[in-house]
Amino acid sequence: MADRDHCPPENALAVPEHVTVVFHKVASHGENSGSDDDRWYGDREPSMERTRVRPRQDHDGDAGEEEEEETTASKLPEGGEWETLCPPPASRVTRKAASAGQSASQGKSKRCPGLGLFYAFLSSVFFSIISLMVKTIQGVHAIEISGIRCFFQMVFIAPLLIYHKTGFLGPRNKRLYLMLRGFLGSNAMILLFYAVQQMPLADATVIMFSNPVFTSLLAWVFLKEKCTIWDCVFTVFTLTGVVLIARPPFLFGEHIQGIEGNYTNHIKGTIAAFAGAIGAACTMVVLRKIGKSVHYYLSVWYYAVIGFIECVIAVSVLGKWTIPSCGQDRWMLMLIAVLGIAGQTFLTKALQLEKAGPVALTRTVDVVLAFFFQFVFLGQAPSWWSLGGALFIVLSTSGVALRKWYSNTRKS
């Protein structure tokens, strides 16, 4: 009797001369019928197969008795069909595996190396230009600038939500986190814009750039992520950099060089930038909590809507509504919103293509561009204290990124 589970190769079936083996094919005509190449299923069998073994007629014309045997196997799935009881030749499987490997290698080769880092660089350029434009706009409060940016982000994001069919509210169990993300993210933006208006551009950017260090600490507190001694060391480095930039009088004396305006505004800007860095770190923790279950555009939508409502209420209470004095400032306000969407989009694309460590290291370009824009467009040379504080903060942030990168590489 033929063995259906161990089918011999082609042209290698040895049968005695006096025996003829006949296979009766059982097929189910359903919806999934296909070509001969697609009718082999390696882990399934037909529900009934009949193997008939009968003696071969001798030259004398005598016929022996027929033996018929039926074996029952598992039921055939609905719509299934098999017409082959033995697997295809090994050459066919090898050819398919080779073609699959070639297609995978071609897909990998099509990916441009360094594209994710290039996206991270573009996001840094856009965010730096936004800070520069906020600094150059005169007579408009930082909260009003934030509200205008949120309004135009709503205008641009709404069609994208409709196109992707994500809805405007999101999953019911994620709405609270989305609202918290919008509140924290919009406050971080408002505080950054206020800090840029009150202190040198580079100093405000450097302090805001310290948020990855605080993200690690907050993730340890709220998400129970691992915190090492290196995180504590990097936090000390960051705080040292903030002190060097703030330059409090009880440490540096009354006559402080490199302060823009009066020292009161400088301290206000330092506090706002530091609080904005904490808010940005909290936003990152909330985004980690949300995960990938919510579309990115929906997260930006909550950020824009809640920020716009908050800014309208705050500006109305403060009575700071103003109209930009010239058309250039009005175009710059709209451009801030467009560049904000572009910067966030490129940053998201960078994180999809590259690991967080290399992207965070590339984002150090923010600090370099801030000092460059401040010197070239604003005509203000940074002080040595500011450069020293920037060095401490950049080292701590880069250390956090490198440590995360190294640990993820070891795990993989």
Side-chain angles (χ1 to χ4, degrees):
M1 183 179 66
D3 188 359
R4 71 174 184 273
D5 294 328
H6 301 84
C7 296
E10 291 180 348
N11 302 325
L13 186 61
V15 182
E17 294 181 357
H18 63 281
V19 177
T20 301
V21 182
V22 181
F23 291 92
H24 291 266
K25 178 174 60 180
V26 179
S28 173
H29 300 281
E31 297 177 357
N32 296 329
S33 60
S35 62
D36 294 336
D37 292 340
D38 299 330
R39 289 171 183 170
W40 166 254
Y41 297 81
D43 56 346
R44 298 177 183 174
E45 298 177 352
S47 60
M48 179 75 70
E49 66 178 30
R50 175 172 297 181
T51 304
R52 178 173 298 174
V53 182
R54 64 187 180 189
R56 186 177 177 180
Q57 288 185 355
D58 296 331
H59 295 285
D60 297 336
D62 296 332
E65 297 179 355
E66 287 188 4
E67 293 182 3
E68 182 173 324
E69 179 180 353
E70 294 181 0
T71 57
T72 305
S74 58
K75 293 184 178 181
L76 182 70
E78 293 182 1
E81 176 183 1
W82 294 287
E83 295 184 0
T84 305
L85 300 181
C86 295
S91 60
R92 184 182 302 172
V93 179
T94 305
R95 184 168 59 253
K96 289 184 177 180
S99 61
Q102 291 176 0
S103 62
S105 62
Q106 291 177 358
K108 291 183 179 179
S109 62
K110 289 181 180 179
R111 175 182 170 183
C112 180
L115 183 60
L117 299 181
F118 178 69
Y119 286 156
F121 174 77
L122 287 180
S123 68
S124 298
V125 172
F126 289 150
F127 289 137
S128 299
I129 294 175
I130 289 174
S131 299
L132 177 63
M133 288 191 294
V134 171
K135 186 71 175 178
T136 55
I137 294 177
Q138 301 294 330
V140 182
H141 198 275
I143 301 179
E144 184 177 354
I145 296 176
S146 303
I148 294 174
R149 173 181 171 176
C150 290
F151 172 76
F152 282 104
Q153 280 189 339
M154 291 168 54
V155 172
F156 287 111
I157 290 295
L160 295 175
L161 292 177
I162 297 174
Y163 175 78
H164 290 281
K165 299 179 181 180
T166 59
F168 292 92
L169 297 178
R172 187 178 300 273
N173 59 337
K174 299 293 183 180
R175 292 175 186 174
L176 180 61
Y177 293 110
L178 287 169
M179 294 177 64
L180 186 61
R181 179 265 184 273
F183 177 77
L184 293 173
S186 60
N187 277 292
M189 174 188 61
I190 294 171
L191 291 171
L192 172 62
F193 287 176
Y194 181 78
V196 167
Q197 289 185 340
Q198 299 298 322
M199 65 187 304
L201 173 63
D203 293 351
T205 303
V206 167
I207 297 176
M208 279 294 299
F209 185 73
S210 64
N211 70 83
V213 178
F214 301 115
T215 302
S216 299
L217 294 178
L218 293 173
W220 170 60
V221 174
F222 295 102
L223 301 181
K224 307 302 179 182
E225 294 185 3
K226 186 178 180 180
C227 181
T228 63
I229 187 64
W230 285 108
D231 293 316
C232 300
V233 172
F234 295 144
T235 303
V236 173
F237 267 64
T238 300
L239 296 177
T240 303
V242 173
V243 170
L244 291 177
I245 293 174
R247 299 188 286 280
F250 65 89
L251 291 178
F252 295 86
E254 296 294 334
H255 302 285
I256 303 174
Q257 301 295 328
I259 298 297
E260 181 180 292
N262 57 49
Y263 186 75
T264 303
N265 292 335
H266 185 81
I267 288 295
K268 289 180 180 179
T270 302
I271 296 174
F274 188 78
I278 300 294
C282 293
T283 303
M284 294 302 297
V285 173
V286 174
L287 288 175
R288 287 186 187 180
K289 184 67 176 179
I290 294 175
K292 298 180 181 179
S293 60
V294 176
H295 197 278
Y296 167 73
Y297 287 131
L298 189 62
S299 176
V300 179
W301 170 257
Y302 270 85
Y303 167 85
V305 171
I306 295 179
F308 177 73
I309 296 174
E310 184 180 0
C311 290
V312 169
I313 295 175
V315 174
S316 300
V317 172
L318 296 175
K320 297 291 184 177
W321 284 109
T322 56
I323 299 177
S325 57
C326 63
Q328 180 180 355
D329 289 345
R330 299 170 187 175
W331 284 107
M332 288 175 63
L333 289 172
M334 289 187 288
L335 188 59
I336 286 174
V338 175
L339 292 180
I341 298 175
Q344 291 173 348
T345 302
F346 279 119
L347 181 58
T348 303
K349 290 290 186 181
L351 292 173
Q352 290 176 350
L353 297 176
E354 296 288 347
K355 294 182 179 180
V359 172
L361 291 176
T362 308
R363 290 294 310 277
T364 56
V365 177
D366 285 1
V367 177
V368 178
L369 290 176
F371 280 104
F372 177 77
F373 289 161
Q374 177 179 306
F375 180 75
V376 174
F377 295 100
L378 303 178
Q380 185 178 3
S383 65
W384 288 106
W385 293 114
S386 296
L387 291 175
L391 180 61
F392 271 91
I393 293 177
V394 169
L395 285 177
S396 61
T397 306
S398 301
V400 171
L402 287 173
R403 190 185 67 82
K404 297 283 188 183
W405 186 14
Y406 176 73
S407 60
N408 293 333
T409 303
R410 289 189 61 185
K411 291 179 181 179
S412 60

